[in-house]
Amino acid sequence: MKLLIFGGTTEGRVLAEQAAALGAEVTVSVTTPLGAEELAGLSGVRVLTGRREPAAVAALLADFDRCVDATHPYAKSITATLKTVCARTGTPLRRLLRPASGAGEAVRVDSCAGAAAFLAETEGNILLATGAKELAVFSGLEKARLFARVLPTHESLSACEALGLPHRNILALQGPFSRKLNEALLEQHQIVWLVTKDGGQPGGFAEKLEAARNTGARLVLVERPADSGGDLEAVLAWIKEGLSCG
């Protein structure tokens, strides 16, 4: 059985490794070289790198028996594309979705734009831990207040510079991060507001939440888009079923 996984997440890597061990011919598609780095060294797993429009996704799927969407819980665009294209091509699809976390006390917003609107009425330093892609929506806020924690890539740094952030306010690091490191960053930069998404356990969400509590920072949580899927065990069972039928 030829399996195509759209990945870039911790659980996507685990799925690829275990599916290959079961005997599936596994290919993982990631958008960035950083995503490809995370898959380095996996035996029997082919990695494709680059963003794909729907037509390219459809062409790629023609060579595979089954597909798994193991992208990030907030990757709305590719998830919608895979649903549409797999339905059109008749390719069996499963969504591997990491469990959500309990955020406790937080200001809840439905988007990064909603977070920016809320923060415009506040005071104090802000740590943006939502990724580089949506930094532009915070352009109306005072730049001296903003600290962005982003991946150490040219794309991320360019997004920070386009926003006009002072370079001393750019924290280019690759997580997940420990509670202690989160606390150190919050204290070092006198952060009052921590803006984040619910990345679940693999994304270090619990460590961010605890660090905010310990340092007195307020959490602004961009809630997950509506989605549904199975856990790693359920998706692996589905792959085993395909292998047994093959």
Side-chain angles (χ1 to χ4, degrees):
M1 182 185 74
K2 297 180 70 175
L3 176 68
L4 177 61
I5 300 172
F6 283 81
T9 58
T10 302
E11 57 270 37
R13 185 186 194 282
V14 173
L15 179 68
E17 182 176 29
Q18 295 192 14
L22 289 171
E25 295 181 46
V26 180
T27 298
V28 182
S29 175
V30 296
T31 57
T32 67
L34 189 59
E37 280 183 22
E38 293 300 301
L39 294 162
L42 289 187
S43 177
V45 176
R46 182 171 66 121
V47 180
L48 304 176
T49 306
R51 302 183 189 280
R52 289 176 173 77
E53 297 300 319
V57 172
L60 183 61
L61 281 170
D63 293 328
F64 292 89
D65 302 305
R66 295 190 174 200
C67 179
V68 175
D69 176 7
T71 59
H72 194 273
Y74 289 82
K76 296 186 292 184
S77 180
I78 184 60
T79 291
T81 293
L82 289 174
K83 285 181 180 179
T84 300
V85 173
C86 285
R88 187 169 70 239
T89 60
T91 305
L93 171 69
R94 287 292 185 275
R95 175 72 163 121
L96 174 57
L97 187 62
R98 65 178 60 161
S101 304
E105 292 186 11
V107 176
R108 298 173 183 272
V109 294
D110 62 3
S111 65
C112 286
F118 168 78
L119 291 165
E121 305 299 323
T122 68
E123 296 181 351
N125 288 351
I126 301 162
L127 177 59
L128 303 175
T130 55
K133 293 181 181 179
E134 298 179 272
L135 284 179
V137 303
F138 297 96
S139 61
L141 300 176
E142 183 184 355
K143 303 306 182 293
R145 296 179 64 196
L146 298 178
F147 294 78
R149 189 164 74 187
V150 297
L151 290 171
T153 65
H154 292 298
E155 183 180 39
S156 295
L157 293 175
S158 295
C160 291
E161 291 178 336
L163 181 60
L165 287 184
H167 284 85
R168 64 179 175 274
N169 291 14
I170 301 172
L171 311 176
L173 301 164
Q174 183 175 352
F177 305 97
S178 68
R179 173 187 56 79
K180 287 185 177 181
L181 181 53
N182 280 312
E183 288 178 357
L185 292 173
L186 294 173
E187 291 174 345
Q188 172 71 26
H189 301 294
Q190 300 177 348
I191 300 300
V192 177
W193 303 97
L194 170 59
V195 187
T196 186
K197 296 176 178 178
D198 179 4
Q201 186 274 330
F205 182 78
E207 289 78 5
K208 283 189 281 188
L209 179 60
E210 189 174 0
R213 287 172 178 161
N214 291 346
T215 60
R218 295 281 308 279
L219 197 71
V220 179
L221 178 66
V222 180
E223 296 198 286
R224 287 189 178 191
D227 201 355
S228 60
D231 60 13
L232 180 64
E233 184 178 347
V235 176
L236 275 173
W238 177 70
I239 291 170
K240 289 178 182 178
E241 173 192 294
L243 288 166
S244 65
C245 293

